[in-house]
Structure formats: structure tokens, C-alpha cells
Amino acid sequence: MRGAVIHAPGDVRFEERDDPKIIEPTDAVIRTVATCVCGSDLWPYRGIEAVDEPHPMGHEYVGIVEEVGAEVTSVTPGQFVVGSFATSDNTCPNCRAGYQSSCLRREFMTTCQAEYVRIPQAQGTLVATPDRPAGEFVPSLLAVSDVMGTGWYAAVAAEVRPGSTAVVVGDGAVGLCGVIAARELGAERIIAVSRHEPRQKLALEFGATDIVTERGEEGVARVKELTGGIGADSVLECVGTQEAMRQALRSTRPGGNVGFVGVPHDVRIDGEELFFSHVGLRGGPAPVRRFLPNLIDRVLTGRINPGRVFDLTLPLEQVAEGYRAMDERRAIKALLTP
Amino acid sequence: MRGAVIHAPGDVRFEERDDPKIIEPTDAVIRTVATCVCGSDLWPYRGIEAVDEPHPMGHEYVGIVEEVGAEVTSVTPGQFVVGSFATSDNTCPNCRAGYQSSCLRREFMTTCQAEYVRIPQAQGTLVATPDRPAGEFVPSLLAVSDVMGTGWYAAVAAEVRPGSTAVVVGDGAVGLCGVIAARELGAERIIAVSRHEPRQKLALEFGATDIVTERGEEGVARVKELTGGIGADSVLECVGTQEAMRQALRSTRPGGNVGFVGVPHDVRIDGEELFFSHVGLRGGPAPVRRFLPNLIDRVLTGRINPGRVFDLTLPLEQVAEGYRAMDERRAIKALLTP
């Protein structure tokens, strides 16, 4: 089969790779229906994370089950399944606590920009849709496997409540999905931080009530202006830089919460500042599995349409162009179909 | 009147100071019934915080109202009152959100080791007891004004729930009160981190079920052993050092919470480590005012007895000896009576 391999920063190739096989009795192999390029894939692509040797890429997927190991009974060949970028047995103490992305048997998926994918811990990782979904739902179901699940977790970690005010820092696909999540969780006011007109537009369509274009201290001041000088109840930090974290913490009211889902790169939080801020902080790789049944249902009932973050669709063999378009910010997110 | 003044590290004197007066119509003046020395008072005493010029000390107090300003109607002269180290109007948005120690009119009390004290924002800061309490209750009511209120907030911020496992890092008065709070909030297992035999004993009497004597990574490993390898649901960080924060974060299970109430001194939290830990973190100066009515009631009904953290009682004029005894760890906490 064929799939993406990164050879060096800026050098992603579509090439022949070994066919995935059942290795453990807890595995499944799926035929990919759709996969995509993630903002975090750009870290190695841009050379910010080292690329020591060529390796496959991709951690977002929906597909059709081809084969299952002997211990997998929850999904069967032929079913359409949605998974998560982190595998989970869904039975360990961390899974039972709702943190499946800290499963004791967790593996991070890394081979999904490909025609076929091996899914470890398939029993606890994959969720089948009730029927084979219509093609129009595929982008949103794919979004659920990562960016929508992550935006949802950001809103949950930031404790968005009905009637509250939420700020979303970051206008990538995760931030935009965070706007959807904040709206679904009942936020009355949703302030999206974005400088990019097409992303502002999508944020407003997804439920944002205000757009803030300023960053850093100016962005903080603007949010304070919009919130009676106090700050927001909930802030979703969807970037992962020091500047974004600082802006998020300072935009939050005392007693409010920051949910941070951008993988932090050289982020340090000052203990004394956090202390006097009274802000609660929780982040991490989203436990997407916790939210999958709920989010799949919201997609299939037409309540949410996070697939709209895909503004570029390419054949999988043009995966390199997907990276380029996202790197150059010509696309928010590129969907790939084998 | 007379009160404590710090002149330099190690040099606390009991000397004549100006009588406090009503300055604002929102003030009250109280006659001190009891005050005490706080662990945080040791920071300047030990020279870790600079002492640029002589200044009064003390932020814990219970007393009898002597006089009130024109706008103070909630307490009247002659009443026994408990306050907080942070003043609050109890009406601003932050107060209404339960974070009175972030009140927009907050002042930190700094003059309470004295015979009389001026209390700004008395209306929102002071809570009167139903009657003049018997002398046996005074130490616990004094504890409520700071260390018990702070231990309570640590447990609330760490989201201690019925049936949960809590770890308390720090065996000072706040940590010991944190044990009381964890028990009152229903923790089934309470692991106190302490190396000092008298403090271990008090922790066990307050409700600790296990004692861990190890610190740092060994302490983390011991907590993991006691919690099935996963970590605790809630950890109360009651020290304020980098080592204590690290131990607290690493002792917490994914999805668990750290409440941190030790004022951080040069504490930096690594964003990436916090991210992958899935731990929630909230700290700050405790909004004691939120908890005062509840905690006063628990004291007066005999349900809690946090006054036991005072293992040394001195006349106020011997305040310097109170500092020395705590600095040399001869006393957990020194109570002072004018």
C-alpha cells in the first residue's frame, strides 16, 4: 500500500510502505476513507521538531474495518469507524476516569496518512457509526477524530457553562472547533481571537459573537474591555506557544478556567502569576474517546458540522501539497482521500 | 498601642505604634483577642523576602469590634468577629464569583500582630459569631481566619470529593488544616507528607490515613505505590517551593487536581509536563471569606478543632519569641494574646 513519509523538514513523500497487519489480538486494520494533515504535523514539517529519520505521518482517520484480531468484538469488518489519535483500552483506571489519552496502554497514532492503518487496542479505540454514513458526513466525522474532539476537550477543561463567556485563542482548526464546542456547551458570548478574515468568518458562522484581532497584552486588554474589566469565565488555548498561554491566562477572570490543548512548545508558567490570578488550568492531549459517541451523534443529527474546517480536499497521493498549503496558510486544514 | 514591627531579618520588636483609627467610612477598628505568626511571616524573617524598611507584621486576627465607620452595618461594637488576611467588599464581581481574595477593593492585612487593628471594607470582610464564644474556641476561630480557611481552599481547589484519595504536601499549619478539610470533604484516604513526628501525629489525629516521609521523586513513587500506580485524585500543595510543586503535580493521577496555596517562590511550571500529566491546577490566596460562615459553624459545633495547630501560646509582647520558635521549628504555630 501507499502512504506519506516525511524524510526531512519540508520533504513529505507519498510512497510504497508495508501493508499493515494484525500483530496483536487487540489490533484492527482499517481501510482509510479519509485522513488529513494536522497543525501539529507542521512542527516537524517546519523543522521545529527534529526529523531524525524518515517516518510515516498522520494520526487522524476514519475508515472501514478490514480485519480484526481475535480479542476485538466491538467492531466488525465492514463497519465504518471513527477513532482517536491516541489508542486506549477504555478499561484501565485512567480510561475509566475519562482520560483515555492517558490510557496505560496508550499509543499515539503516527501512520494514518495512508491507504490502510493498523489500530492497536481497537476494542477500546474505535467507535462504529450506526450505519455506513453518507459521504457528506465524512469530513465532520474525520474532524471528530481529532480537531473537534480536541476543541471539545478544550471547552470542557475550561469548564464552559451555559450563560458563560468564553474566549478562544487560536484560529486553526482546533480553535474553530473550540468555538463550536463553546456554543454547544451553552456559552452566551464567544470571543474568537483571529487576524485572518476567512477564519474570522468561519468562527462567526460557528457561533462566535465577537472577534478580537489583537494579540498579547493588547488582546488581553480587549477581552477585559468586552468583559466588564474582569476577564472571561473560560479561555480555550489552542496554539501552544508562550505568548498564547500568557494571553489565555491573563484573559481569564479570577476563578475562571483555561483549557489548553495546543501542544506546548517551550512554554513556562510562572507559579506566582498563576497563583495570584486564581485561574484554574487543565490541558493535555484530548481524551477524544470520551466524547466520540456524543460527537458522532451531534454530527449525524446535523447539529454540528466541524468538517467545514477542511477548506482543501486532495487525493491522498497529493499529501505533500496538503502540507504545503497549510504551511503557507493557504488552507486551514487539508482533507485527503485515498 | 503596641504591636510588632520587623526591622530586619531576624529582628522583630514589640513597640509603640500609632493607634488605628477609622479612616474610611467602610473601616472598622477591632481590639485583638488573638493573633499569631504565619509561615509566610518567616519569609522576611529569614531574609528570603527583603525588609527594605521597618514595618508592622501580622495578618491573622480575631477580636472585638471597637468602632465602625458610617457605612458599616453588618457588625457592631462589642461583637466578636473573624476576618481574613485579605479584605473584600463581598459585592464586586470577583467576590460574587467566590474569589473574595481577588476583590477589586482587596487589601492584604499587614498590621495584625498588635493590640488594635484597622479593618478596611469591614462590611464585607468581617463575620460576627452568634455570641461571644467561650475561650476554648478562640484558637480555632483564629485558625479559621487564615490557615484553616487556606487548607479548606486547597482541598476545594484540588476538588476533594467523597470517597477520593487526597495527598497533602506540607506539614505546616496550612497542610495540617488541609488534612482536616480533606476529611470534612469526604476523602476516604488522606496521605500526609511529613518527616516530623509531632506533625505526623497531629495529621493522623486530624484524619490522615497514611504518612509518607519521602520527598521529591521518592515521595512521588511512594504515593504511586499507595494508589495502585496511578496517583491521587487530589493533591494539596501547601509549601510554595519548586520541589513541592513538582512532587504535587507528579503525585496526581491523570484527570486529578492540584490545589496550591503555598505562596510560590521561584516556581516555574513546565507547560509540556503539565500538558501530558492531564492534571488540573488552581491556586491562589485563599478566598477565606467564602468559607467563613461554614467554618465558624464547624468550629462552634465542635466538628473541627484546627486550633490544635497552635502548639505555643505567648503573650503578644513576646511576639519575637514566637518568630524564633517557628523559625527553629520548635513550634508549628505560635498564638499571641494581648
Side-chain angles (χ1 to χ4, degrees):
Chain A
M1 67 134 200
R2 296 167 308 162
V5 174
I6 189 166
H7 286 256
D11 181 9
V12 170
R13 303 180 201 168
F14 189 64
E15 56 189 39
E16 200 59 34
R17 288 175 13 199
D18 290 341
D19 288 339
K21 290 190 172 59
I22 301 290
I23 300 173
E24 303 289 338
T26 45
D27 290 348
V29 170
I30 67 165
R31 176 169 58 78
T32 307
V33 171
T35 179
C36 51
V37 183
C38 182
S40 67
D41 292 334
L42 297 181
W43 293 100
Y45 187 79
R46 289 171 170 164
I48 299 167
E49 272 175 26
V51 180
D52 295 328
E53 53 180 359
H55 57 80
M57 289 292 288
H59 53 264
E60 297 153 288
Y61 57 95
V62 292
I64 304 293
V65 178
E66 280 282 306
E67 196 184 347
V68 295
E71 292 177 21
V72 178
T73 57
S74 61
V75 296
T76 50
Q79 283 187 309
F80 185 97
V81 289
V82 186
S84 158
F85 60 87
T87 68
S88 54
D89 63 15
N90 218 18
T91 61
C92 84
N94 293 338
C95 285
R96 289 200 309 270
Y99 286 83
Q100 288 92 341
S101 41
S102 275
C103 175
L104 297 177
R105 294 193 182 81
R106 174 190 68 195
E107 294 179 40
F108 286 117
M109 297 297 295
T110 58
T111 65
C112 303
Q113 288 158 4
E115 292 170 326
Y116 292 86
V117 184
R118 182 178 77 92
I119 313 287
Q121 301 298 331
Q123 176 95 6
T125 301
L126 298 175
V127 173
T129 55
D131 303 296
R132 194 75 73 95
E136 68 192 87
F137 292 117
V138 167
S140 286
L141 292 169
L142 176 63
V144 158
S145 82
D146 184 342
V147 288
M148 185 64 235
T150 297
W152 195 268
Y153 173 61
V156 168
E159 301 190 9
V160 173
R161 306 239 189 274
S164 65
T165 295
V167 172
V168 181
V169 177
D171 62 0
V174 169
L176 292 166
C177 288
V179 171
I180 295 177
R183 188 200 61 197
E184 291 293 298
L185 291 168
E188 218 157 70
R189 190 161 198 186
I190 302 171
I191 302 166
V193 179
S194 173
R195 292 180 168 181
H196 300 86
E197 203 269 331
R199 297 173 187 222
Q200 293 172 356
K201 199 158 162 278
L202 197 48
L204 291 168
E205 288 174 30
F206 279 166
T209 55
D210 300 85
I211 300 288
V212 164
T213 54
E214 295 87 347
R215 288 190 190 167
E217 287 309 304
E218 287 177 20
V220 172
R222 189 78 190 99
V223 168
K224 289 280 177 75
E225 266 179 45
L226 292 168
T227 56
I230 300 297
D233 302 308
S234 298
V235 179
L236 289 63
E237 194 284 287
C238 306
V239 182
T241 61
Q242 182 76 45
E243 186 193 2
M245 177 63 89
R246 191 181 292 124
Q247 183 171 353
L249 288 172
R250 294 183 181 176
S251 298
T252 313
R253 69 163 172 81
N257 292 277
V258 170
F260 69 109
V261 295
V263 183
H265 284 75
D266 296 321
V267 172
R268 294 277 176 288
I269 299 150
D270 180 78
E272 193 177 352
E273 178 173 346
L274 185 64
F275 183 84
F276 285 103
S277 76
H278 275 137
V279 171
L281 184 58
R282 187 192 302 282
V288 173
R289 180 61 183 82
R290 191 202 317 174
F291 311 122
L292 276 184
N294 179 345
L295 293 178
I296 290 171
D297 184 62
R298 284 176 201 255
V299 166
L300 294 178
T301 56
R303 193 165 163 82
I304 62 175
N305 190 3
R308 296 188 59 210
V309 298
F310 296 106
D311 52 354
L312 177 66
T313 298
L314 295 168
L316 178 57
E317 61 191 30
Q318 290 181 36
V319 56
E321 168 57 15
Y323 277 80
R324 264 193 305 276
M326 284 178 62
D327 178 41
E328 295 164 8
R329 293 182 80 94
R330 285 185 280 117
I332 298 174
K333 196 165 174 73
L335 184 141
L336 306 164
T337 51
Chain B
M1 67 135 200
R2 296 168 307 162
V5 174
I6 190 166
H7 286 257
D11 182 8
V12 170
R13 303 179 201 168
F14 188 65
E15 57 190 38
E16 200 58 34
R17 287 176 13 201
D18 289 342
D19 288 340
K21 290 189 173 60
I22 301 289
I23 299 173
E24 302 288 338
T26 45
D27 290 349
V29 171
I30 66 165
R31 176 169 58 77
T32 308
V33 171
T35 180
C36 50
V37 183
C38 181
S40 68
D41 292 335
L42 297 180
W43 293 100
Y45 187 79
R46 289 171 170 162
I48 299 167
E49 272 176 26
V51 180
D52 294 327
E53 53 180 0
H55 58 79
M57 290 291 287
H59 53 265
E60 296 153 287
Y61 57 94
V62 291
I64 304 293
V65 177
E66 280 281 308
E67 197 185 346
V68 295
E71 291 179 21
V72 179
T73 57
S74 61
V75 296
T76 51
Q79 282 188 311
F80 185 97
V81 289
V82 187
S84 159
F85 59 87
T87 66
S88 53
D89 64 14
N90 217 20
T91 61
C92 83
N94 294 337
C95 285
R96 290 200 308 270
Y99 286 82
Q100 288 92 341
S101 41
S102 275
C103 175
L104 297 177
R105 295 193 181 81
R106 175 189 69 195
E107 293 179 40
F108 285 118
M109 297 297 296
T110 57
T111 65
C112 303
Q113 289 158 3
E115 291 169 327
Y116 293 86
V117 183
R118 183 176 78 91
I119 313 287
Q121 301 298 332
Q123 176 97 4
T125 301
L126 298 175
V127 175
T129 55
D131 303 297
R132 193 76 72 97
E136 67 191 270
F137 291 116
V138 167
S140 285
L141 292 169
L142 177 62
V144 157
S145 82
D146 183 345
V147 287
M148 184 65 235
T150 298
W152 194 269
Y153 173 61
V156 168
E159 300 190 10
V160 173
R161 305 241 191 269
S164 66
T165 294
V167 172
V168 181
V169 177
D171 62 0
V174 170
L176 292 166
C177 289
V179 171
I180 295 177
R183 187 200 61 198
E184 292 293 298
L185 291 168
E188 218 157 67
R189 190 162 198 185
I190 302 171
I191 302 166
V193 179
S194 173
R195 292 179 168 181
H196 300 86
E197 203 269 331
R199 297 173 187 221
Q200 292 173 355
K201 200 158 162 279
L202 198 49
L204 291 168
E205 289 173 30
F206 279 166
T209 55
D210 300 84
I211 300 289
V212 164
T213 55
E214 295 87 347
R215 288 189 190 167
E217 286 309 304
E218 288 178 19
V220 172
R222 187 79 190 97
V223 167
K224 290 281 178 74
E225 266 179 46
L226 291 168
T227 54
I230 300 297
D233 302 307
S234 296
V235 179
L236 290 62
E237 195 284 288
C238 306
V239 182
T241 61
Q242 182 76 47
E243 186 194 1
M245 178 62 89
R246 191 181 291 123
Q247 182 171 352
L249 289 171
R250 294 183 180 175
S251 297
T252 312
R253 69 163 172 80
N257 292 277
V258 170
F260 69 111
V261 294
V263 184
H265 285 75
D266 295 321
V267 172
R268 293 279 177 287
I269 299 150
D270 181 77
E272 193 178 352
E273 178 173 345
L274 185 65
F275 183 83
F276 285 103
S277 75
H278 275 137
V279 171
L281 183 59
R282 187 193 302 281
V288 173
R289 181 63 184 81
R290 191 202 318 176
F291 311 122
L292 277 183
N294 179 344
L295 293 178
I296 290 171
D297 185 62
R298 284 177 201 254
V299 166
L300 294 178
T301 55
R303 193 166 163 82
I304 62 174
N305 190 3
R308 295 188 59 212
V309 298
F310 296 107
D311 53 352
L312 176 66
T313 298
L314 294 168
L316 178 56
E317 60 191 31
Q318 291 180 37
V319 57
E321 168 56 15
Y323 277 80
R324 267 194 303 277
M326 284 178 62
D327 178 42
E328 296 164 8
R329 293 182 80 94
R330 284 185 281 115
I332 298 174
K333 196 165 175 73
L335 185 142
L336 305 164
T337 52

